[in-house]
């Protein structure tokens, strides 16, 4: 750890040299301020890890903030803590244009948050089934559908064949394709 950032090494897509990646360490109060105290109107999703909120950092970057639902009182806390630390270590080493980048994290008291790049167009699931389906003609052409499938496949190929260590996603679905 150096200058409030974790320094981790990973392989960049398309190169064989190792590059240094920096993952920012945020405070809980910083992330709460960036999401209007995790307001319901900033909630953009959720899953097994917890809820996801849209936020805006002090430098103007839009981010998606994943807030874990865990407490030190639960017996699964140690398992979730290990999973959180593994996710930081692995994701901070990835760099590919078809993968959402990890910007940083917050590990304060019982709180565990991951900060990702914000994907303003939403998920493929949103376009297929949700609100974006009505006002978007994105999926009306076969050309666009093939492009989406190829881009998703390229991201998966990177994880399987080029990331070090290789990563198997295990939860590929339309709501995880942004």
């Amino acid at each position: 750890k150096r200058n409030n950032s974790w320094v981790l090494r990973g392989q960049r897509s398309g190169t064989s040299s190792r590059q240094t990646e920096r993952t920012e360490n945020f405070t809980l109060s910083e992330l709460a301020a960036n999401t209007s105290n995790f307001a319901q109107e900033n909630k953009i999703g959720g899953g097994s890890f917890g809820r996801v909120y849209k936020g805006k950092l002090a430098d103007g970057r839009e981010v998606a903030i994943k807030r874990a639902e865990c407490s030190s009182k639960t017996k699964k806390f140690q398992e979730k803590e290990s999973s959180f630390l593994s996710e930081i270590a692995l994701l901070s080493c990835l760099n590919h244009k078809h993968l959402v980048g990890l910007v940083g994290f917050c590990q304060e008291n019982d709180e565990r948050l991951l900060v990702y790049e914000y994907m303003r167009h939403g998920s493929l699931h949103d376009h297929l089934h949700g609100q974006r389906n009505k006002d978007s003609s994105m999926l009306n052409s076969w050309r666009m559908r093939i492009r989406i499938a190829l881009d998703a496949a390229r991201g998966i190929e990177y994880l399987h064949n080029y990331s070090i260590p290789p990563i198997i996603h295990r939860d590929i679905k339309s709501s995880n394709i942004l």
Side-chain angles (χ1 to χ4, degrees):
K1 190 172 175 187
R2 186 171 56 202
N3 297 335
N4 214 24
S5 296
W6 286 87
V7 178
L8 300 162
R9 301 195 184 280
Q11 182 177 351
R12 295 179 87 90
S13 172
T15 67
S16 60
S17 64
R18 290 179 132 338
Q19 303 280 338
T20 300
E21 297 296 320
R22 292 190 186 272
T23 305
E24 299 173 54
N25 188 359
F26 296 98
T27 65
L28 182 59
S29 60
E30 217 178 339
L31 297 179
N34 296 337
T35 59
S36 301
N37 203 28
F38 302 103
Q40 186 63 28
E41 64 265 11
N42 287 328
K43 184 180 173 203
I44 56 174
S48 60
F49 182 86
R51 294 190 173 113
V52 182
Y53 299 88
K54 180 180 177 185
K56 194 167 194 172
L57 300 179
D59 63 8
R61 287 180 291 170
E62 289 184 314
V63 292
I65 301 169
K66 247 179 159 180
R67 187 177 191 188
E69 292 179 5
C70 64
S71 162
S72 60
K73 295 173 184 149
T74 65
K75 57 182 169 180
K76 289 192 175 185
F77 177 77
Q78 200 63 28
E79 183 181 310
K80 287 191 175 191
E81 181 71 5
S82 175
S83 174
F84 176 79
L85 295 173
S86 294
E87 192 161 352
I88 292 171
L90 283 174
L91 295 178
S92 61
C93 295
L94 300 178
N95 185 14
H96 191 274
K97 73 179 192 173
H98 296 106
L99 299 176
V100 177
L102 180 69
V103 174
F105 66 96
C106 172
Q107 184 177 11
E108 197 172 302
N109 301 324
D110 290 344
E111 293 281 353
R112 302 294 179 263
L113 298 98
L114 296 170
V115 181
Y116 293 93
E117 297 170 319
Y118 176 69
M119 299 286 110
R120 62 185 169 94
H121 295 296
S123 71
L124 179 58
H125 185 271
D126 294 341
H127 288 279
L128 291 170
H129 307 288
Q131 298 170 339
R132 295 179 187 269
N133 187 7
K134 295 173 184 77
D135 62 356
S136 173
S137 61
M138 175 188 268
L139 298 176
N140 286 348
S141 75
W142 277 108
R143 182 178 184 89
M144 182 55 78
R145 291 176 186 209
I146 295 296
R147 180 175 170 210
I148 291 167
L150 285 172
D151 287 350
R154 287 180 181 115
I156 295 165
E157 177 192 32
Y158 171 79
L159 291 173
H160 288 190
N161 298 317
Y162 300 107
S163 69
I164 298 173
I167 298 169
I168 305 300
H169 189 284
R170 296 186 338 175
D171 194 21
I172 297 169
K173 57 189 177 186
S174 62
S175 59
N176 287 340
I177 298 173
L178 304 176

